[in-house]
Amino acid sequence: MSKIMKENHEINHDQSKTSNFVQWIATFAVFLLALQVGIGIGWASPNNARLLKDDSPIHATTDDISWMTSLVSIGAAIGAILGAIAVEIAGSRRTILLTYALLSISWILLLVSNSVEWLYASRFIMGIGCTLLYCCFSLYLGEISDARIRGSLISLAIIGSPFGCVLGIIAETYLDMKVTASIYLVLGLIGILLFFWLDDTPYYLIKKNERDTALISINFYRGTSSEKELDEVISFVENSADLKEKLNMLKVSVVRKSIFMIMLVFTLPHIAGYMNLMSYMQTILESSKFDLIKPEECVIYANIITVITAFVTFNLIDKLGRKILLIISSIGTASALVALGTHFYLLKSEFDVENLQWLPVGSILFYLITYSVGYGSVPGALLSEMFPENIKSVAACAATLSVSFFGFIVAKAYQPIIDSVGEAYAFWIHAVLALLGVPCALFMIIETKGKTFQEIQDKLMKGQ
């Protein structure tokens, strides 16, 4: 008997190693996708500054740059709707393949670009792809992974985004745009090949009534052909709501209240000027007369510090709670924007700012650090906590549409405000909007720290 048990243990151990191998390969493939999304975000700052220079192969005006920044938000709105539909119809794996395809098209457009219109198209498609990633990546990894390592796989995969942002800034600062587009395209093709090799998830296959294929998928990803696991998948799918039922749930007051809260908390970072700061960081430093180090190098260092901050402070959300982190981010980013605006006000007033060169870079660093503490982590956490599993995709779509709408307005208004009243007032306006996070956190957002899903729903029902 002991010999049989030992043999079974060895078989299960081998199967576990096989399943973990496939799951880690799948995680790496998602990491490559998140990496490209991060590169797409980091692409903006160095290239916006480069395109404004007279010797740029493709010369752009400030209005052109404004449109390129805004088109990302318009694309994101379309991506939110497309993502919700694609996941329902095609499943998470095929939605990831669609995302890869769109990002590859974006790089191809950069590769062949010879006018700003090509850049418009590339950034618009990039916006669609960025949103699609967040609609499908966690769902895919959650459906194929072992419960014991699910959180680790999802966390590892999404690290690709901030890492890609830094990589994109460095690459775009020192290499030609067409060279980098070629490199990104190769990375995309590697990811596409990996996902052609990977199977559809068992959950999607059961939804399509392909029981035998779902059993093969379980064996492929987890190294087992357990009927028990298959029954668990079938039970979960049968108890999940379809898209029509999800939309009907919007009639429930607690769901509508939760969606309003999540739209609000996702919007706050954008009206606080995050995308404008990220997209125009190098241009802002150049305009501030900062010359202690090259502005493009400063952008790189600032983003590296942001990534480090995200790693160091990721567990504060469970120690201090969601509300306090939102308040810290709100006050911190507002303070940084006031200081940055003050520097430009002194500059415009012809005050000698030679001894204040630390102020613009210090303000930007303080903004990014305090942003990471709350605005960078709390929205995603609340999205995962405030909604039942069968309504999260609708909530995510609503949140993304809200972000896209306000993101477009903020991005498009940035340059006209600077042209009419100057940088100082643009940053002060963002500072006032950033402070809205304080009353929102105190009076409109519920605290979910340490609460079960049921306790959160009960608190929403009671209107506390």
Side-chain angles (χ1 to χ4, degrees):
M1 179 65 71
S2 60
K3 183 179 180 180
I4 294 173
M5 291 176 65
K6 182 178 179 181
E7 289 175 351
N8 286 338
H9 175 75
E10 289 174 352
I11 291 171
N12 290 334
H13 181 66
D14 290 340
Q15 288 176 336
S16 176
K17 288 195 295 184
T18 302
S19 67
N20 285 349
F21 172 75
V22 175
Q23 290 171 34
W24 284 110
I25 291 294
T27 302
F28 174 71
V30 177
F31 176 90
L32 282 180
L33 183 59
L35 184 79
Q36 292 195 72
V37 168
I39 288 170
I41 297 172
W43 184 94
S45 179
N47 280 301
N48 284 351
R50 176 189 293 173
L51 291 166
L52 289 171
K53 297 185 184 302
D54 293 333
D55 59 352
S56 173
I58 302 175
H59 181 68
T61 65
T62 54
D63 187 57
D64 293 331
I65 298 298
S66 175
W67 272 110
M68 273 191 281
T69 305
S70 305
L71 283 168
V72 175
S73 296
I74 297 176
I78 295 174
I81 300 171
L82 178 61
I85 296 172
V87 167
E88 288 290 331
I89 296 175
S92 55
R93 170 186 163 271
R94 300 184 189 202
T95 304
I96 288 176
L97 269 172
L98 173 62
T99 309
Y100 260 121
L102 288 171
L103 294 183
S104 296
I105 292 172
S106 176
W107 303 134
I108 291 171
L109 290 173
L110 286 181
L111 195 59
V112 302
S113 61
N114 55 16
S115 67
V116 290
E117 286 74 21
W118 290 93
L119 300 180
Y120 287 166
S122 175
R123 299 304 288 167
F124 173 73
I125 294 173
M126 175 58 66
I128 298 175
C130 287
T131 310
L132 280 177
L133 168 71
Y134 290 96
C135 290
C136 60
F137 91 94
S138 60
L139 181 60
Y140 169 74
L141 290 177
E143 290 179 350
I144 61 100
S145 60
D146 189 315
R148 292 169 296 181
I149 59 172
R150 181 182 300 134
S152 298
L153 295 184
I154 293 173
S155 298
L156 178 62
I158 201 56
I159 286 175
S161 181
F163 183 75
C165 186
V166 174
L167 179 63
I169 291 172
I170 295 173
E172 298 302 323
T173 298
Y174 296 107
L175 299 175
D176 181 79
M177 186 191 302
K178 296 185 185 298
V179 173
T180 55
S182 302
I183 296 171
Y184 307 150
L185 183 58
V186 171
L187 291 175
L189 293 177
I190 292 172
I192 289 172
L193 290 174
L194 286 173
F195 267 99
F196 270 118
W197 173 70
L198 294 166
D199 283 352
D200 284 316
T201 72
Y203 291 84
Y204 169 74
L205 293 168
I206 287 298
K207 190 175 178 181
K208 296 300 178 182
N209 296 316
E210 298 180 20
R211 180 189 174 96
D212 293 340
T213 312
L215 193 59
I216 294 172
S217 176
I218 291 174
N219 182 58
F220 175 76
Y221 283 112
R222 303 180 187 177
T224 63
S225 299
S226 169
E227 288 286 342
K228 180 182 177 182
E229 287 188 71
L230 181 63
D231 290 339
E232 290 175 354
V233 173
I234 292 172
S235 176
F236 182 88
V237 171
E238 288 177 347
N239 292 324
S240 298
D242 59 22
L243 184 58
K244 183 177 180 180
E245 290 173 329
K246 291 177 181 179
L247 294 176
N248 285 334
M249 289 185 69
L250 295 177
K251 298 177 182 178
V252 181
S253 60
V254 67
V255 173
R256 292 199 305 270
K257 181 179 180 180
S258 299
I259 287 179
F260 174 75
M261 286 186 190
I262 208 65
M263 291 172 66
L264 182 64
V265 79
F266 267 79
T267 299
L268 286 172
H270 288 266
I271 63 175
Y274 176 71
M275 284 306 296
N276 283 341
L277 196 68
M278 290 297 293
S279 299
Y280 294 95
M281 193 182 303
Q282 184 174 331
T283 305
I284 291 169
L285 288 171
E286 290 173 350
S287 300
S288 71
K289 307 301 182 184
F290 173 81
D291 60 7
L292 295 177
I293 61 174
K294 292 181 179 179
E296 56 267 30
E297 293 179 357
C298 187
V299 173
I300 294 171
Y301 301 146
N303 280 275
I304 290 174
I305 290 173
T306 303
V307 173
I308 294 172
T309 302
F311 277 110
V312 171
T313 62
F314 77 93
N315 61 343
L316 287 180
I317 193 167
D318 288 322
K319 291 183 177 180
L320 300 180
R322 285 61 168 158
K323 280 176 171 278
I324 187 65
L325 292 189
L326 282 176
I327 292 172
I328 290 172
S329 277
S330 178
I331 295 175
T333 54
S335 301
L337 290 165
V338 168
L340 187 58
T342 300
H343 179 86
F344 278 98
Y345 181 81
L346 294 174
L347 191 64
K348 191 174 182 179
S349 301
E350 299 184 353
F351 184 87
D352 185 5
V353 295
E354 182 66 26
N355 295 324
L356 290 176
Q357 288 203 47
W358 57 269
L359 186 56
V361 68
S363 301
I364 290 173
L365 281 174
F366 190 66
Y367 180 99
L368 293 175
I369 290 170
T370 54
Y371 176 94
S372 297
V373 169
Y375 283 157
S377 59
V378 172
L382 289 178
L383 178 62
S384 67
E385 295 170 331
M386 289 174 57
F387 300 93
E389 193 65 33
N390 57 4
I391 197 67
K392 281 182 182 177
S393 61
V394 175
C397 180
T400 308
L401 286 173
S402 176
V403 166
S404 302
F405 175 75
F406 286 100
F408 172 77
I409 292 176
V410 169
K412 196 68 188 75
Y414 177 75
Q415 193 61 50
I417 291 175
I418 288 178
D419 293 339
S420 58
V421 295
E423 289 94 338
Y425 289 95
F427 296 128
W428 288 341
I429 290 170
H430 276 311
V432 172
L433 294 173
L435 283 175
L436 293 177
V438 175
C440 287
L442 289 174
F443 306 114
M444 303 182 71
I445 306 299
I446 66 167
E447 180 57 74
T448 59
K449 171 192 168 187
K451 292 181 172 59
T452 65
F453 289 147
Q454 189 57 53
E455 289 171 339
I456 293 169
Q457 294 302 308
D458 291 344
K459 193 164 187 176
L460 287 167
M461 289 291 290
K462 293 176 182 178
Q464 297 179 351

